[in-house]
Amino acid sequence: MNKSALKALFINAKVEGARYIGVRIATEGSSEPEIIINPKENFDSKFEYYMSAYDDNLILISAKGKKEIRITGIAQGNTFEDIEFQLGDVGVDWKKPISDAIDKAYNKMIAETPPQTEEEKLRCDTMKEAVKGMFLNAGRSAAEARFILENIEKYEQLFDICMNGDDMEFRKGLTELQRMQNEHILKEESSE
C-alpha cells in the first residue's frame, strides 16, 4: 500500500458514490490496528490530510523518529460492515473459493484437451490468470462475499463455460449471476 493506491481509492470511492472510506492504521507498540471510518461528506478534507500528513509509504511524517504510525489498509463501502469486512479479520474469505473454482475448471480443461505446444499452454495459463484477475481484483462488499460463497457451484459452472471458450454462454451466465447477486444485495439491504 502506498500513497498512489490511497489516492486511487479516494477517486474511485467518489466516482462510485461510496458512503464511507475506512483506513486501517497500525501504531508501533499497539497490539491491534485501529480502523477509522469517514463519511462521504469528509472525503475531500480527509484526502487532503492524508496526502499532506503521510509520506509515500503511508507513514505519518510527524511521528517519524518517535514511533511508526502507518496506514496499512484502505477500503470503500456503503456500510460499516463493508469496511470492517475489507479491513478487519472478520467476514468470509471469498477469494480462495473463487480461485479454487477457476483452478478446478482450468485443470479439467487441460485434462480433457491438453495443450499441444508451449505457446498453447502459455495461452491457456494467460486465460486462467486473466479470469482470476477479473474476479479476484474486484472489491467486494460483505453481502457480495456471502452471495459468492452461497453460490460457489454456479461460479464453478461459469468458469467451466469460460474455459471451454463459449463466450456467449459465459456472458449469459455472468449476467444471470450478476442479476442474482443484485437481488440478493437488495434483499439484504431491505431487511436491515
Side-chain angles (χ1 to χ4, degrees), residues 28-174:
E28 186 179 335
S30 295
S31 59
E32 292 292 323
E34 63 183 69
I35 295 178
I36 299 169
I37 299 176
N38 296 292
K40 65 182 174 186
E41 295 80 9
N42 295 352
F43 286 2
D44 290 337
S45 63
K46 284 301 181 176
F47 175 76
E48 293 302 322
Y49 167 73
Y50 292 134
M51 289 295 112
S52 64
Y54 287 81
D55 70 11
D56 287 339
N57 295 313
L58 298 178
I59 297 171
L60 185 62
I61 297 167
S62 64
K64 284 186 179 180
K66 301 169 193 155
K67 68 165 101 176
E68 184 175 286
I69 299 174
R70 172 191 299 260
I71 295 174
T72 59
I74 184 163
Q76 69 184 57
N78 289 320
T79 65
F80 278 32
E81 181 188 25
D82 290 344
I83 302 298
E84 182 182 31
F85 175 78
Q86 293 174 59
L87 294 179
D89 292 329
V90 298
V92 292
D93 179 13
W94 60 272
K95 289 185 177 185
K96 178 137 177 49
I98 286 287
S99 179
D100 290 348
I102 293 168
D103 286 340
K104 184 177 174 182
Y106 174 80
N107 291 336
K108 180 180 173 189
M109 177 190 73
I110 294 298
E112 290 174 359
T113 313
Q116 300 301 309
T117 65
E118 190 59 36
E119 183 179 332
E120 212 173 275
K121 182 177 181 341
L122 183 59
R123 204 172 23 246
C124 291
D125 288 344
T126 301
M127 179 177 62
K128 176 182 80 167
E129 294 307 322
V131 172
K132 277 189 180 185
M134 181 171 68
F135 283 88
L136 297 179
N137 291 332
R140 304 282 182 203
S141 68
E144 289 171 319
R146 285 190 291 273
F147 175 82
I148 289 170
L149 289 180
E150 291 168 12
N151 293 280
I152 195 66
E153 300 83 21
K154 289 181 176 28
Y155 281 92
E156 287 177 3
Q157 293 167 356
L158 185 66
F159 298 139
D160 272 338
I161 293 166
C162 176
M163 295 297 172
N164 289 310
D166 190 340
D167 287 343
M168 181 57 102
E169 195 64 29
F170 174 71
R171 281 185 250 162
K172 284 181 185 175
L174 189 58

